């Protein structure tokens, strides 16, 4: 299969506040900006520029995700099963709005999700994610009680979104999401619901 269903398919990553050192985050974004500027260099065709931008995004994501996987700084609240259930449940609730939640994995300090917004739905994936952040943060705070100061953010503001290019790339991304916990050698509970989900048929 070489074509995706009509609409928009995004590989989304969002993380807990404080889960990445500021200096590393700034450097990663600076490197991405440099690569993006190079992709616009003279002499490149439109197709070559697009491929260069995709390579830059993939390099950024690989480094960004590796830093999150190391979990050297910040909280790891999502290793609590009750909090994982809250996040997983809200991701599945997106389907009631018209999204397809193709897959997701809840990791100790971040979440990967593959979401498809069918053509003609009129919804905003970015607004929906913002609302999801707000709902999950409110619910998770109740369970954390005194572990998280009232003035502290639960989620890092914003998220990383990568537009999936074709069905072959989607297959690779779904495999990446499904096997992430195994690669990190996380405890067995991270390999099952509520930490991991994949749509049986789409």
């Amino acid at each position: 299969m070489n074509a995706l269903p009509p609409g928009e398919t995004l590989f989304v990553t969002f993380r807990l506040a404080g889960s990445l050192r500021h200096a590393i985050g700034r450097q990663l974004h600076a490197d991405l900006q440099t690569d993006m500027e190079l992709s616009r260099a003279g002499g490149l065709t439109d197709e070559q520029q697009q491929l260069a931008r995709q390579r830059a995004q993939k390099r950024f994501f690989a480094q960004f995700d590796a830093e999150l996987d190391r979990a050297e700084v910040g909280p790891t609240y999502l290793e609590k099963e009750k909090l994982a259930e809250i996040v997983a449940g809200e991701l599945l609730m997106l389907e009631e709005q018209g999204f397809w939640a193709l897959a997701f994995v809840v990791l100790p300090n971040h979440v990967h999700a593959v979401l498809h917004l069918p053509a003609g739905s009129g919804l905003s994936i970015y607004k929906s994610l913002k609302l999801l952040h707000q709902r999950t943060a409110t619910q998770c705070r109740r369970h954390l009680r005194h572990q998280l100061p009232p003035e502290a953010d639960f989620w890092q503001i914003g998220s990383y979104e990568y537009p999936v290019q074709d069905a072959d790339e989607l297959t690779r991304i779904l495999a990446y999401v499904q096997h992430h916990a195994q690669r990190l050698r996380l405890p067995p509970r991270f390999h099952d619901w509520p930490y991991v989900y994949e749509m049986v048929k789409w």
Side-chain angles (χ1 to χ4, degrees):
M1 183 170 63
N2 296 318
L4 293 169
E8 184 178 23
T9 304
L10 290 178
F11 177 37
V12 179
T13 299
F14 50 97
R15 62 188 179 92
L16 296 179
S19 53
L20 190 69
R21 288 190 175 91
H22 293 304
I24 291 176
R26 286 194 299 269
Q27 186 61 55
L28 289 176
H29 281 92
D31 291 344
L32 176 61
Q33 184 63 34
T34 298
D35 286 345
M36 287 297 191
E37 290 173 359
L38 290 173
S39 74
R40 294 189 286 270
L44 296 179
T45 66
D46 290 345
E47 183 178 359
Q48 289 171 330
Q49 289 184 21
Q50 182 179 2
L51 289 173
R53 287 193 294 271
Q54 290 173 11
R55 287 194 294 268
Q57 289 176 321
K58 289 177 180 179
R59 280 194 297 271
F60 168 83
F61 175 77
Q63 295 170 320
F64 170 72
D65 203 36
E67 291 293 339
L68 291 176
D69 287 342
R70 278 191 276 272
E72 293 179 341
V73 297
T76 55
Y77 299 135
L78 300 179
E79 64 189 3
K80 299 176 184 293
E81 187 168 347
K82 184 59 183 179
L83 271 60
E85 286 181 350
I86 289 171
V87 175
E90 288 291 342
L91 284 166
L92 290 179
M93 284 288 288
L94 290 175
E95 296 195 342
E96 294 190 5
Q97 302 176 31
F99 291 89
W100 298 354
L102 303 185
F104 59 74
V105 58
V106 180
L107 299 157
N109 63 358
H110 65 295
V111 176
H112 296 307
V114 184
L115 303 175
H116 178 76
L117 182 58
S121 68
L123 296 171
S124 165
I125 199 165
Y126 305 104
K127 183 177 180 180
S128 296
L129 285 173
K130 183 178 180 180
L131 292 173
L132 182 145
H133 278 187
Q134 293 172 351
R135 290 193 301 269
T136 52
T138 298
Q139 295 176 65
C140 289
R141 281 180 180 279
R142 296 194 189 107
H143 291 275
L144 289 171
R145 295 185 180 140
H146 303 300
Q147 296 180 52
L148 185 65
E151 69 278 6
D153 291 326
F154 183 78
W155 296 112
Q156 182 68 32
I157 295 173
S159 57
Y160 173 79
E161 299 95 21
Y162 174 78
V164 181
Q165 303 302 313
D166 55 39
D168 291 337
E169 184 172 61
L170 176 60
T171 298
R172 293 192 295 271
I173 289 173
L174 290 175
Y176 182 86
V177 168
Q178 284 298 103
H179 300 295
H180 203 130
Q182 289 94 322
R183 287 195 305 275
L184 296 182
R185 298 183 179 178
L186 292 175
R189 73 176 187 276
F190 283 92
H191 306 172
D192 299 308
W193 174 263
Y195 296 93
V196 179
Y197 166 84
E198 183 173 12
M199 198 175 193
V200 175
K201 186 176 181 181
W202 53 277

Short mmCIF file of all heavy atoms in Angstrom, two decimals, residues 66-92:
data_model
loop_
_atom_site.label_atom_id
_atom_site.label_comp_id
_atom_site.label_asym_id
_atom_site.label_seq_id
_atom_site.Cartn_x
_atom_site.Cartn_y
_atom_site.Cartn_z
N ALA A 66 15.82 10.06 21.94
CA ALA A 66 16.88 9.37 22.69
C ALA A 66 17.11 10.05 24.04
O ALA A 66 17.32 9.38 25.06
CB ALA A 66 18.17 9.35 21.88
N GLU A 67 17.07 11.38 24.06
CA GLU A 67 17.23 12.11 25.32
C GLU A 67 16.09 11.81 26.28
O GLU A 67 16.30 11.61 27.48
CB GLU A 67 17.32 13.61 25.06
CG GLU A 67 18.60 14.06 24.37
CD GLU A 67 19.84 13.89 25.23
OE1 GLU A 67 19.70 13.82 26.47
OE2 GLU A 67 20.94 13.81 24.65
N LEU A 68 14.87 11.77 25.76
CA LEU A 68 13.72 11.46 26.61
C LEU A 68 13.80 10.03 27.13
O LEU A 68 13.46 9.76 28.29
CB LEU A 68 12.42 11.66 25.84
CG LEU A 68 12.05 13.10 25.48
CD1 LEU A 68 10.79 13.14 24.64
CD2 LEU A 68 11.88 13.95 26.74
N ASP A 69 14.22 9.12 26.29
CA ASP A 69 14.32 7.72 26.70
C ASP A 69 15.32 7.53 27.84
O ASP A 69 15.14 6.67 28.71
CB ASP A 69 14.73 6.84 25.52
CG ASP A 69 13.61 6.63 24.52
OD1 ASP A 69 12.44 6.86 24.89
OD2 ASP A 69 13.91 6.26 23.36
N ARG A 70 16.37 8.36 27.85
CA ARG A 70 17.37 8.25 28.93
C ARG A 70 16.79 8.68 30.27
O ARG A 70 17.24 8.22 31.32
CB ARG A 70 18.61 9.07 28.58
CG ARG A 70 19.57 8.35 27.65
CD ARG A 70 20.89 9.07 27.54
NE ARG A 70 20.84 10.14 26.56
CZ ARG A 70 21.10 9.96 25.26
NH1 ARG A 70 21.42 8.76 24.81
NH2 ARG A 70 21.03 10.97 24.42
N ALA A 71 15.81 9.58 30.23
CA ALA A 71 15.11 10.03 31.45
C ALA A 71 16.10 10.43 32.56
O ALA A 71 15.95 10.05 33.72
CB ALA A 71 14.16 8.95 31.95
N GLU A 72 17.10 11.21 32.17
CA GLU A 72 18.13 11.61 33.13
C GLU A 72 17.68 12.75 34.04
O GLU A 72 18.26 12.96 35.11
CB GLU A 72 19.40 12.01 32.38
CG GLU A 72 20.07 10.85 31.67
CD GLU A 72 21.31 11.24 30.90
OE1 GLU A 72 21.48 12.44 30.61
OE2 GLU A 72 22.12 10.34 30.59
N VAL A 73 16.67 13.50 33.61
CA VAL A 73 16.17 14.61 34.43
C VAL A 73 14.64 14.59 34.42
O VAL A 73 14.03 13.98 33.55
CB VAL A 73 16.66 15.98 33.90
CG1 VAL A 73 18.17 16.08 33.98
CG2 VAL A 73 16.18 16.24 32.48
N GLY A 74 14.07 15.25 35.40
CA GLY A 74 12.63 15.44 35.40
C GLY A 74 11.83 14.27 35.95
O GLY A 74 12.38 13.22 36.29
N PRO A 75 10.51 14.45 36.02
CA PRO A 75 9.64 13.44 36.61
C PRO A 75 9.38 12.26 35.67
O PRO A 75 9.58 12.36 34.46
CB PRO A 75 8.34 14.22 36.85
CG PRO A 75 8.34 15.26 35.77
CD PRO A 75 9.78 15.65 35.58
N THR A 76 8.93 11.16 36.26
CA THR A 76 8.53 9.98 35.49
C THR A 76 7.15 9.52 35.97
O THR A 76 6.92 8.34 36.22
CB THR A 76 9.57 8.84 35.64
OG1 THR A 76 9.76 8.57 37.04
CG2 THR A 76 10.90 9.22 35.02
N TYR A 77 6.25 10.48 36.09
CA TYR A 77 4.92 10.20 36.65
C TYR A 77 4.15 9.15 35.86
O TYR A 77 3.31 8.43 36.41
CB TYR A 77 4.07 11.47 36.66
CG TYR A 77 4.63 12.60 37.49
CD1 TYR A 77 4.64 13.91 37.01
CD2 TYR A 77 5.11 12.37 38.78
CE1 TYR A 77 5.12 14.96 37.77
CE2 TYR A 77 5.62 13.42 39.54
CZ TYR A 77 5.62 14.70 39.03
OH TYR A 77 6.10 15.73 39.79
N LEU A 78 4.41 9.06 34.55
CA LEU A 78 3.59 8.18 33.71
C LEU A 78 3.89 6.70 33.90
O LEU A 78 3.24 5.85 33.32
CB LEU A 78 3.74 8.57 32.24
CG LEU A 78 3.33 10.01 31.91
CD1 LEU A 78 3.56 10.30 30.43
CD2 LEU A 78 1.88 10.27 32.29
N GLU A 79 4.88 6.39 34.75
CA GLU A 79 5.10 4.98 35.07
C GLU A 79 4.05 4.47 36.05
O GLU A 79 3.93 3.26 36.28
CB GLU A 79 6.50 4.78 35.64
CG GLU A 79 6.75 5.46 36.97
CD GLU A 79 8.21 5.39 37.39
OE1 GLU A 79 9.02 4.86 36.60
OE2 GLU A 79 8.54 5.87 38.49
N LYS A 80 3.27 5.38 36.60
CA LYS A 80 2.16 4.98 37.48
C LYS A 80 0.99 4.52 36.61
O LYS A 80 0.52 5.26 35.74
CB LYS A 80 1.72 6.16 38.37
CG LYS A 80 2.80 6.69 39.30
CD LYS A 80 2.31 7.90 40.06
CE LYS A 80 3.40 8.50 40.93
NZ LYS A 80 3.79 7.61 42.03
N GLU A 81 0.51 3.32 36.86
CA GLU A 81 -0.51 2.73 35.98
C GLU A 81 -1.79 3.55 35.93
O GLU A 81 -2.40 3.68 34.87
CB GLU A 81 -0.82 1.30 36.42
CG GLU A 81 -1.74 0.58 35.45
CD GLU A 81 -1.82 -0.91 35.72
OE1 GLU A 81 -0.99 -1.42 36.48
OE2 GLU A 81 -2.72 -1.54 35.16
N LYS A 82 -2.18 4.14 37.05
CA LYS A 82 -3.42 4.93 37.05
C LYS A 82 -3.28 6.14 36.13
O LYS A 82 -4.21 6.48 35.39
CB LYS A 82 -3.74 5.39 38.48
CG LYS A 82 -5.08 6.13 38.58
CD LYS A 82 -6.23 5.24 38.10
CE LYS A 82 -7.56 5.98 38.13
NZ LYS A 82 -8.66 5.13 37.63
N LEU A 83 -2.11 6.78 36.12
CA LEU A 83 -1.90 7.93 35.25
C LEU A 83 -1.83 7.50 33.80
O LEU A 83 -2.32 8.19 32.90
CB LEU A 83 -0.64 8.69 35.66
CG LEU A 83 -0.86 9.79 36.73
CD1 LEU A 83 -1.42 9.20 38.02
CD2 LEU A 83 0.43 10.54 37.00
N ALA A 84 -1.21 6.34 33.55
CA ALA A 84 -1.17 5.81 32.18
C ALA A 84 -2.59 5.53 31.68
O ALA A 84 -2.91 5.80 30.52
CB ALA A 84 -0.33 4.53 32.14
N GLU A 85 -3.45 5.02 32.56
CA GLU A 85 -4.84 4.77 32.17
C GLU A 85 -5.56 6.06 31.81
O GLU A 85 -6.35 6.10 30.85
CB GLU A 85 -5.58 4.08 33.31
CG GLU A 85 -5.22 2.61 33.49
CD GLU A 85 -5.99 1.97 34.63
OE1 GLU A 85 -6.66 2.72 35.39
OE2 GLU A 85 -5.94 0.75 34.76
N ILE A 86 -5.30 7.11 32.55
CA ILE A 86 -5.93 8.40 32.26
C ILE A 86 -5.53 8.89 30.88
O ILE A 86 -6.38 9.29 30.07
CB ILE A 86 -5.55 9.44 33.34
CG1 ILE A 86 -6.22 9.10 34.67
CG2 ILE A 86 -5.91 10.86 32.88
CD1 ILE A 86 -5.74 9.92 35.84
N VAL A 87 -4.24 8.87 30.59
CA VAL A 87 -3.75 9.35 29.29
C VAL A 87 -4.26 8.47 28.16
O VAL A 87 -4.73 8.96 27.13
CB VAL A 87 -2.21 9.40 29.29
CG1 VAL A 87 -1.68 9.78 27.91
CG2 VAL A 87 -1.71 10.40 30.34
N ALA A 88 -4.19 7.15 28.35
CA ALA A 88 -4.66 6.22 27.32
C ALA A 88 -6.15 6.42 27.04
O ALA A 88 -6.59 6.44 25.88
CB ALA A 88 -4.39 4.78 27.75
N GLY A 89 -6.92 6.58 28.12
CA GLY A 89 -8.36 6.76 27.95
C GLY A 89 -8.69 8.04 27.18
O GLY A 89 -9.58 8.04 26.32
N GLU A 90 -7.98 9.11 27.46
CA GLU A 90 -8.23 10.37 26.76
C GLU A 90 -7.81 10.29 25.30
O GLU A 90 -8.46 10.89 24.42
CB GLU A 90 -7.50 11.52 27.46
CG GLU A 90 -8.12 11.93 28.79
CD GLU A 90 -9.47 12.61 28.63
OE1 GLU A 90 -9.79 13.07 27.51
OE2 GLU A 90 -10.21 12.67 29.62
N LEU A 91 -6.75 9.56 24.99
CA LEU A 91 -6.36 9.38 23.59
C LEU A 91 -7.44 8.62 22.83
O LEU A 91 -7.76 8.97 21.69
CB LEU A 91 -5.02 8.63 23.52
CG LEU A 91 -3.78 9.46 23.83
CD1 LEU A 91 -2.58 8.56 24.07
CD2 LEU A 91 -3.48 10.45 22.70
N LEU A 92 -8.01 7.61 23.45
CA LEU A 92 -9.07 6.87 22.78
C LEU A 92 -10.35 7.70 22.66
O LEU A 92 -11.12 7.52 21.71
CB LEU A 92 -9.36 5.57 23.54
CG LEU A 92 -8.27 4.50 23.46
CD1 LEU A 92 -8.66 3.28 24.26
CD2 LEU A 92 -7.99 4.12 22.01
#
